[in-house]
């Protein structure tokens, strides 16, 4: 089984090196995409064998490659573990990544950077596998930074586009800010526990003061806020849509943005002790869920709407983790990965059909030309809305149930409102893109067409998983019960059933309103766009503008002052002065090199006279 851990981990790395080293600078070659796909498939198979083994045996599989750091009291091995938590992540990451890789072979077929793309994409998966499989915080941090680096390369993959480069920089810088907090948290862990291995650290945490534990929890959560784009470090997530659509699917579904949720689940012994920090996490998650959904209500960019949806669903996951129901947070992470990847890849099909057009106002009646894509995106939207028996129902409704059962009425009300908003904007997209009023495609010089069958077949497993994943709840709960407490708040059965029916009624009403409004009423009047609420939401609550005015503009002004006043007038002046002195002195000295013997003799005589004078003066003062 140890060999399977290494196969699952290093197969994506092998694919990345193959595409990068053998085909990186050459013309696009299908082999550069096919081999990484096959190796991802190998990693997926190894992960599922490990999943079955851990489920039946109940024992984690640990691998120690070599002694890594032996310095002072720190003795840390380069080790990995496939346990009940990590193996769930391994399975989800490899399923979604394999499908995205296969889909990308068709999606990127005509791109000049085909070989480079697969090298970056497989490296991204390897970094995520390192993150989830490491048995210590330092290994997790290396994977954490690897994911950040690869996201920078993939978001800015089309670097000839100015905004793509800008978005890549924003994502990278925003995450570096958060990662500083996480790194300080890891330093505190070592300082107070003397170790970075999960098992040792969590055992010794019981001996620490609550104040120290709270600081560690806060600092680690700052890292999670950046990686999972929680407010106020959220602005990079929607802008990351500038990367190729398969990148969006991978980042938003099963890898980068879920890393913050995974960190909280992995560090659940810490957050169970620090209940005040956990409660803050839950309240922030509820706010982010509502906040992101409100922006999706009015957004017109297809990929940005789905990105806001991801941000909103991450809020749900943080609510579950903050309330202490870590198994539900991980369960929603799993189910969400499938239908969210399906939505993004379906959006990729729409982009191909619309010649990269993303404005949903310029779409309509695409169902006739794209029936398979329309059906699969509708399935994903139903799952996202949380309708039984689709995957989202089983996990999202549990979060609503635990919010209500835990006595957090405000959080429950916010999440219930968000569920209604989610259903509305999901079907707003479905109706405006695939049904509703047909756009004037002739005027736009667009001829909608379905994606190649190869790409449709590639994403079909996601449609199946979006329907059936929720039925694996009992298998999943049995698997993780050894490491995570599988519990539900005490609640009368009739109340629980009533909550489910209330949620379903509200969600169905919201879907019905969206269908009625966009199918029969043609949407909302253009005058609505002048409404202050619309402007507020479409401008992302004016938070980017606030950041620009309160942070970016003063920083640019300070940089300008430092450049003009300090760099040019002080630093450059001093450097130039030294250069001028050297040039002037060298010019004068150059005049002394005339080649005249008499001239040299005169200088020698003057030098001897000066030396004798110095000796005479020194002896005179010494005698005195």
């Amino acid at each position: 089984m140890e060999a399977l851990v290494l196969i699952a981990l290093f197969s994506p790395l092998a694919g990345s090196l193959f595409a990068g080293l053998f085909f990186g600078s050459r013309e696009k070659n299908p082999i550069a995409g096919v081999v990484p796909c096959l190796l991802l498939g190998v990693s997926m198979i190894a992960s599922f064998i490990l999943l079955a083994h851990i489920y039946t045996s109940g024992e984690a599989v640990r691998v120690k490659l070599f002694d890594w750091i032996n310095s002072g009291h720190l003795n840390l091995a380069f080790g990995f573990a496939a346990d009940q938590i990590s193996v769930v992540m391994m399975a989800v990451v490899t399923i979604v990544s394999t499908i995205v890789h296969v889909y990308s072979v068709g999606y990127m077929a005509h791109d000049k950077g085909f070989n480079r793309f697969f090298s970056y994409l497989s490296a991204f998966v390897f970094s995520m596998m390192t993150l989830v499989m490491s048995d210590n915080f330092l290994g997790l941090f290396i994977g954490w930074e690897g994911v950040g680096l690869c996201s920078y390369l993939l978001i800015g993959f089309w670097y000839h586009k100015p905004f793509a480069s800008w978005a890549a920089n924003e994502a990278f810088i925003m995450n570096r800010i958060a990662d500083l907090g996480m790194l300080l948290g890891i330093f505190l862990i070592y300082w107070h526990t003397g170790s970075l291995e999960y098992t040792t650290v969590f055992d010794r945490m019981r001996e620490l003061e609550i104040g120290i534990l709270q600081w560690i929890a806060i600092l680690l959560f700052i890292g999670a806020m950046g990686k999972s784009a929680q407010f106020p470090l959220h602005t990079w997530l929607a802008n990351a849509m500038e990367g190729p659509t398969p990148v969006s699917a991978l980042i938003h579904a099963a890898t980068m943005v879920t890393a913050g949720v995974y960190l909280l689940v992995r560090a659940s012994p810490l957050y169970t002790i620090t209940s005040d920090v956990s409660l803050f996490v839950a309240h922030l998650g509820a706010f982010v869920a509502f906040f992101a959904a409100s922006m999706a209500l009015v957004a017109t960019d297809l990929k940005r709407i789905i990105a806001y949806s991801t941000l909103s669903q991450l809020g749900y996951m943080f609510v579950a983790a903050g309330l202490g129901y870590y198994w539900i947070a991980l369960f929603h992470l799993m189910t969400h990965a499938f239908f969210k990847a399906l939505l993004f890849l379906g959006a990729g099909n729409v982009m191909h059909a619309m010649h990269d057009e993303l404005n949903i106002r310029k779409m309509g009646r695409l169902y006739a030309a794209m029936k398979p894509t329309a059906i699969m995106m509708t399935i994903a939207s139903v799952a996202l809305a949380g309708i039984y028996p689709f995957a989202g129902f089983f996990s999202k409704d549990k979060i609503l149930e635990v919010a209500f059962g835990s006595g957090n009425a405000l959080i429950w009300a916010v999440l219930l409102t968000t569920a209604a908003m989610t259903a509305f904007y999901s079907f707003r997209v479905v109706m405006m893109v695939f049904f509703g009023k047909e756009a004037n495609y002739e005027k736009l010089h667009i001829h909608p067409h379905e994606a190649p069958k190869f790409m449709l077949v590639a994403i079909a497993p996601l449609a199946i998983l979006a329907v059936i994943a929720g039925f694996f709840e009992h298998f999943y709960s049995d698997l993780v019960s050894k490491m995570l407490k599988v519990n539900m708040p005490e609640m009368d059965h009739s109340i629980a059933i009533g909550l489910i029916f209330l949620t379903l009624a509200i969600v169905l009403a919201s879907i019905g309103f969206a269908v009625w409004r966009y199918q029969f009423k043609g949407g909302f009047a253009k005058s609505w766009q002048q409404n202050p609420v619309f402007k507020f939401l479409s401008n992302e609550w004016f938070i980017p503008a606030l950041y620009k005015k309160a942070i970016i503009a003063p920083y640019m002004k300070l940089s300008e002052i430092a450049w003009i006043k300090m760099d040019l007038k002080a630093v450059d002046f001093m450097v130039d002065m030294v250069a001028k002195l050297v040039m002037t002195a060298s010019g004068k000295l150059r005049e002394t090199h005339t080649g005249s013997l008499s001239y040299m003799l005169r200088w020698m005589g003057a030098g001897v006279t000066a030396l004798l004078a110095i000796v005479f003066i020194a002896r005179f003062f010494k005698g005195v």
Side-chain angles (χ1 to χ4, degrees):
M1 288 297 163
E2 289 81 0
L4 288 173
V5 172
L6 299 179
I7 290 171
L9 174 63
F10 288 109
S11 291
L13 177 61
S16 174
L17 294 176
F18 177 83
L21 295 179
F22 293 102
F23 297 95
S25 59
R26 301 181 184 180
E27 291 186 5
K28 58 180 182 289
N29 190 321
I31 300 298
V34 172
V35 171
C37 290
L38 293 174
L39 289 169
L40 252 296
V42 170
S43 179
M44 180 179 67
I45 293 169
S47 297
F48 271 93
I49 296 172
L50 287 167
L51 175 66
H53 170 76
I54 293 171
Y55 180 76
T56 54
S57 68
E59 297 296 328
V61 181
R62 303 184 182 277
V63 176
K64 174 184 173 182
L65 289 183
F66 52 81
D67 289 330
W68 186 13
I69 301 175
N70 290 308
S71 177
H73 297 290
L74 179 60
N75 297 301
L76 192 63
F78 196 71
F80 300 92
D83 57 22
Q84 285 80 358
I85 295 175
S86 63
V87 79
V88 171
M89 290 296 296
M90 289 164 61
V92 173
V93 169
T94 53
I95 289 173
V96 175
S97 300
T98 302
I99 292 172
V100 168
H101 271 68
V102 174
Y103 176 88
S104 299
V105 172
Y107 189 89
M108 303 294 291
H110 302 291
D111 197 285
K112 292 181 179 179
F114 182 89
N115 306 345
R116 177 168 56 93
F117 178 81
F118 279 93
S119 180
Y120 292 168
L121 201 66
S122 290
F124 188 97
V125 179
F126 168 69
S127 298
M128 188 66 189
M129 294 292 278
T130 302
L131 189 158
V132 301
M133 294 176 68
S134 179
D135 66 355
N136 60 82
F137 280 101
L138 192 56
L140 178 146
F141 188 73
I142 289 174
W144 194 274
E145 294 303 300
V147 167
L149 172 62
C150 293
S151 69
Y152 167 78
L153 296 173
L154 287 166
I155 294 168
F157 180 78
W158 289 317
Y159 51 82
H160 56 277
K161 297 181 179 180
F163 190 71
S165 295
W166 187 90
N169 285 326
E170 182 188 26
F172 191 80
I173 293 168
M174 194 75 80
N175 276 275
R176 297 295 73 72
I177 294 169
D179 292 353
L180 175 60
M182 181 179 177
L183 192 59
L184 291 173
I186 293 174
F187 284 153
L188 271 183
I189 288 171
Y190 171 67
W191 186 264
H192 291 280
T193 67
S195 178
L196 291 174
E197 291 184 1
Y198 295 142
T199 52
T200 306
V201 168
F202 297 142
D203 286 342
R204 294 178 182 175
M205 275 184 177
R206 300 185 184 93
E207 304 167 5
L208 302 182
E209 296 179 3
I210 188 64
I212 297 297
L213 293 174
Q214 286 177 334
W215 272 111
I216 293 172
I218 291 169
L219 290 169
L220 291 182
F221 180 61
I222 290 173
M225 287 169 64
K227 200 65 74 185
S228 294
Q230 295 297 284
F231 178 86
L233 305 175
H234 66 281
T235 53
W236 69 266
L237 191 68
N239 293 331
M241 296 300 97
E242 282 300 307
T245 300
V247 173
S248 303
L250 198 58
I251 288 177
H252 285 246
T255 54
M256 182 172 173
V257 298
T258 61
V261 179
Y262 170 78
L263 176 61
L264 261 66
V265 173
R266 175 59 73 182
S268 56
L270 166 65
Y271 286 95
T272 300
I273 299 171
T274 55
S275 56
D276 290 342
V277 178
S278 295
L279 192 59
F280 170 77
V281 170
H283 281 88
L284 181 64
F287 168 74
V288 170
F290 176 84
F291 165 69
S294 69
M295 294 185 290
L297 290 173
V298 300
T300 57
D301 184 297
L302 177 59
K303 286 174 65 177
R304 290 180 79 92
I305 294 170
I306 304 173
Y308 291 138
S309 169
T310 298
L311 184 55
S312 182
Q313 296 306 304
L314 287 167
Y316 274 89
M317 297 176 207
F318 278 108
V319 167
L323 295 177
Y325 299 92
Y326 301 98
W327 75 280
I328 299 178
L330 189 60
F331 185 44
H332 191 49
L333 185 158
M334 179 185 74
T335 60
H336 170 263
F338 303 133
F339 56 76
K340 186 51 57 70
L342 180 59
L343 278 172
F344 270 114
L345 298 183
N349 291 351
V350 173
M351 284 181 65
H352 266 286
M354 295 292 295
H355 299 178
D356 292 335
E357 178 60 61
L358 284 169
N359 190 339
I360 60 175
R361 289 175 179 164
K362 297 180 180 180
M363 302 177 191
R365 294 290 177 97
L366 286 177
Y367 177 79
M370 307 181 67
K371 288 182 181 179
T373 296
I375 291 169
M376 286 192 277
M377 286 194 72
T378 303
I379 288 172
S381 297
V382 174
L384 175 60
I387 303 298
Y388 182 86
F390 294 81
F393 167 82
F394 293 89
S395 55
K396 194 162 76 172
D397 265 43
K398 275 186 168 45
I399 298 174
L400 286 162
E401 185 178 341
V402 298
F404 185 88
S406 301
N408 294 278
L410 177 61
I411 291 178
W412 173 77
V414 170
L415 293 184
L416 184 62
T417 304
T418 303
M421 295 161 66
T422 302
F424 177 81
Y425 70 67
S426 297
F427 277 83
R428 169 178 175 258
V429 168
V430 170
M431 299 309 299
M432 291 185 72
V433 173
F434 296 110
F435 303 99
K437 183 180 178 181
E438 185 172 5
N440 190 345
Y441 295 120
E442 292 295 332
K443 184 179 179 180
L444 297 171
H445 304 290
I446 294 173
H447 304 284
H449 56 280
E450 183 57 276
K453 289 183 179 180
F454 172 81
M455 296 166 65
L456 294 173
V457 171
I459 64 176
L462 289 173
I464 296 170
L465 287 167
V467 177
I468 69 171
F471 291 104
F472 291 96
E473 177 189 343
H474 295 297
F475 171 85
Y476 162 79
S477 60
D478 290 342
L479 174 68
V480 300
S481 59
K482 187 171 182 180
M483 295 193 69
L484 301 174
K485 186 179 180 182
V486 178
N487 61 329
M488 293 294 289
E490 294 184 4
M491 190 188 309
D492 188 89
H493 182 69
S494 60
I495 295 177
I497 296 297
L499 288 174
I500 292 173
F501 277 104
L502 174 63
T503 305
L504 282 174
I506 291 174
V507 167
L508 288 171
S510 188
I511 291 173
F513 177 67
V515 171
W516 171 75
R517 192 78 214 186
Y518 289 96
Q519 181 66 24
F520 302 107
K521 294 294 183 180
F524 290 89
K526 289 187 177 181
S527 58
W528 163 242
Q529 297 176 25
Q530 304 303 318
N531 188 288
V533 175
F534 181 91
K535 290 183 178 180
F536 180 72
L537 297 179
S538 60
N539 284 284
E540 301 179 33
W541 292 35
F542 293 105
I543 291 174
L546 176 64
Y547 285 177
K548 186 174 182 178
K549 188 172 183 178
I551 299 174
I552 298 174
Y555 179 80
M556 293 295 291
K557 188 66 176 177
L558 181 63
S559 299
E560 185 179 353
I561 292 171
W563 173 48
I564 295 174
K565 301 293 185 182
M566 297 177 64
D567 196 43
L568 294 181
K569 292 188 176 181
V571 177
D572 282 4
F573 174 77
M574 294 174 64
V575 172
D576 292 344
M577 182 61 68
V578 171
K580 287 179 180 178
L581 288 174
V582 171
M583 289 293 292
T584 303
S586 61
K588 296 296 182 183
L589 289 172
R590 187 164 57 246
E591 294 175 0
T592 65
H593 292 265
T594 63
S596 171
L597 181 60
S598 60
Y599 185 80
M600 296 298 179
L601 287 172
R602 284 197 298 273
W603 272 108
M604 289 176 62
V608 170
T609 303
L611 287 172
L612 290 173
I614 291 170
V615 170
F616 175 77
I617 293 170
R619 291 199 174 201
F620 175 78
F621 281 105
K622 186 178 180 181
V624 174

